[in-house]
Amino acid sequence: MDGGAFGAGKAGGAFDPHAFIRQPHTLLRLVSWVFSIVVFGSIVNEGYVNRLDETQEHCIFNRNRNACNYGITVGVLAFLSCLLYLALDAYFPQISSVKDRKKAVLSDIGVSAFWAFLWFVGFCFLTNQWQASKEEDNPMNEGGDAARAAITFSFFSIFTWGSLTFLAFRRLRDITFQEEYNTLFPSSPSLLP
């Protein structure tokens, strides 16, 4: 790609889906998207059980509905956040202003770090409630695999969102370098492709 702000050619260029999919942050965001689907899908599908003598269903995590609500809420919002930032990643090469690119990357850093924290809290909370669950509350061990899947993918999500934060920091460093270079040498061509 010819000159332009960091990470792209001239604004208004054609969208290349192959280049977009091969970017590490795009792949990680897609993986995070799938992980969020697994977490909230597992809880919604098999996260509520009842005893043989009851008709009302309770959360499989120690009969604590807050645990199920937290897992579902974080999963759904992370799913939506992934979609939003995938759209931003697709639109990113069209942003010609270095300052606007910097704002987009700063928001990516903040959101990714926030989600890594929320997934850490979710992992700890779900794990704690799963350990505190009593066998008599679920004598047939229904939904156990779904609960373990939600816990496992909450754990994996910590690392995918943490990696997205790291990649956004790298992107910010490159944008800051481009901004400083453009300030020092306003009439020279861009260094970054």
Side-chain angles (χ1 to χ4, degrees), residues 136-170:
E136 60 267 12
D137 288 336
N138 189 8
M140 298 178 69
N141 199 23
E142 295 176 272
D145 291 338
R148 285 187 286 277
I151 291 169
T152 302
F153 284 95
S154 294
F155 179 73
F156 293 154
S157 293
I158 298 167
F159 296 105
T160 58
W161 285 99
S163 298
L164 283 166
T165 305
F166 172 74
L167 290 174
F169 267 116
R170 276 189 24 199

Side-chain angles (χ1 to χ4, degrees), residues 61-115:
F61 295 100
N62 196 28
R63 298 174 69 93
N64 182 350
R65 67 185 174 109
N66 292 329
C68 284
N69 289 342
Y70 186 87
I72 291 168
T73 302
V74 169
V76 169
L77 292 177
F79 170 82
L80 295 173
S81 180
C82 283
L83 290 179
L84 176 72
Y85 277 90
L86 276 170
L88 180 64
D89 289 342
Y91 180 68
F92 192 77
Q94 306 301 319
I95 303 172
S96 60
S97 169
V98 174
K99 289 184 181 186
D100 290 341
R101 284 173 177 256
K102 197 172 189 178
K103 289 176 188 175
V105 173
L106 284 172
S107 76
D108 190 11
I109 290 170
V111 168
S112 297
F114 178 69
W115 281 111

Side-chain angles (χ1 to χ4, degrees), residues 35-49 58-61 67-68 71-72 119 122-123 126-127 130 133 138 140-155:
F35 287 177
S36 67
I37 292 171
V38 170
V39 171
F40 81 78
S42 296
I43 296 173
V44 166
N45 191 35
E46 295 184 38
Y48 293 91
V49 295
H58 296 279
C59 179
I60 195 166
F61 295 100
C68 284
I72 291 168
W119 281 117
F123 168 73
L126 293 177
T127 302
W130 180 246
S133 297
N138 189 8
M140 298 178 69
N141 199 23
E142 295 176 272
D145 291 338
R148 285 187 286 277
I151 291 169
T152 302
F153 284 95
S154 294
F155 179 73

Side-chain angles (χ1 to χ4, degrees), residues 1-16 19-20 23-26 88-98 101-102 105 167 170-179 182 190-193:
M1 293 184 187
D2 298 325
F6 165 72
K10 296 178 181 168
F15 177 71
D16 183 9
F20 175 68
Q23 294 173 349
H25 59 274
T26 302
L88 180 64
D89 289 342
Y91 180 68
F92 192 77
Q94 306 301 319
I95 303 172
S96 60
S97 169
V98 174
R101 284 173 177 256
K102 197 172 189 178
V105 173
L167 290 174
R170 276 189 24 199
R171 194 187 250 187
L172 178 66
R173 181 194 62 199
D174 293 339
I175 289 173
T176 304
F177 172 77
Q178 181 67 37
E179 185 177 39
N182 289 343
S190 176
L191 283 179
L192 300 172

